[in-house]
Amino acid sequence: LIVSHDRYFMDKVVDHVFVFEGNGSVKDFNGNYTEYTQWKINQDRLASKGQTKVKSKVKDKATESKEDQPRKLSYLERKEFGKLEKEIMKLEARKDEIMKLFNEGNLEADKIQDLSNELGEVNKSLEEKEERWGDLAEFV
C-alpha cells in the first residue's frame, strides 16, 4: 500500500489504485494514476453529453440551498492547512535525521534511548498532523 502525492512515482510503481472520493466512497481502479485520470476525464465527457436530458433536474447554482453546495474551507482552515504542510515537512525531516543517526551505529545507549523516545513523539505528531491534513484536503 502506497500513499503519495508524487504522480510520477505512483505511475512507475503501482498498477492498481484505490480512489477515495469523499463521503465514504472508494473506487477500485485497475491501472496507474495517469490511466485513472484519463478514464475519469472520459467518463466526465460522456456524462456531459448525456447531461442535456438531465439538465432540467439539476438545480441552478443560484437556486441551490446552502446545504446543497459543496463545503469549502474557512479562512482559518486554509491557514491551518498551509501550516500543517510545513509542519509535516519539518517532522519528516527530523525523522530522517534521527534515522540517519541510528543507521550510523555509533551512538551510546542513553543517546539511543533519547532518540528512540523522540522518534516515537515525532511519529505520533506526524500521524496526527497527516490525519488532520487529510481531513482538510478533502475540501480543497
Side-chain angles (χ1 to χ4, degrees):
L1 178 65
I2 297 173
V3 178
S4 177
H5 297 281
D6 188 342
R7 294 177 185 171
Y8 178 78
F9 170 74
M10 286 189 353
D11 281 347
K12 295 297 180 189
V13 175
V14 303
D15 60 2
H16 195 84
V17 179
F18 291 106
V19 182
F20 293 81
E21 295 184 327
N23 296 329
S25 174
V26 179
K27 274 195 177 168
D28 183 9
F29 183 80
N30 191 15
N32 65 27
Y33 182 78
T34 299
E35 292 169 340
Y36 168 75
T37 55
Q38 290 170 348
W39 175 83
K40 181 74 172 151
I41 289 169
N42 289 337
Q43 292 300 312
D44 292 343
R45 285 183 186 150
L46 291 174
S48 68
K49 287 180 182 178
Q51 190 175 1
T52 54
K53 295 178 183 175
V54 185
K55 201 168 192 175
S56 62
K57 294 181 182 179
V58 176
K59 291 182 180 178
D60 186 9
K61 281 279 187 200
T63 61
E64 279 186 354
S65 69
K66 194 168 190 161
E67 294 171 0
D68 293 337
Q69 294 178 358
R71 183 186 182 293
K72 294 182 181 178
L73 293 179
S74 69
Y75 170 77
L76 292 176
E77 288 173 326
R78 286 193 310 270
K79 192 173 178 180
E80 178 186 8
F81 185 73
K83 185 178 176 185
L84 282 170
E85 288 178 337
K86 293 174 186 171
E87 290 173 355
I88 289 170
M89 288 190 327
K90 286 180 184 176
L91 287 169
E92 287 175 345
R94 181 59 187 152
K95 181 178 175 179
D96 290 342
E97 289 173 13
I98 293 171
M99 294 307 294
K100 187 176 181 181
L101 290 171
F102 280 140
N103 290 332
E104 289 176 1
N106 57 0
L107 297 172
E108 296 178 12
D110 59 337
K111 185 69 173 175
I112 292 173
Q113 183 64 40
D114 292 342
L115 287 174
S116 180
N117 290 338
E118 184 181 353
L119 182 61
E121 292 172 11
V122 166
N123 282 334
K124 182 180 177 189
S125 182
L126 190 58
E127 185 178 323
E128 290 170 355
K129 291 182 186 307
E130 286 175 339
E131 185 176 335
R132 178 62 179 154
W133 183 91
D135 292 343
L136 294 174
E138 223 177 291
F139 304 107
V140 174

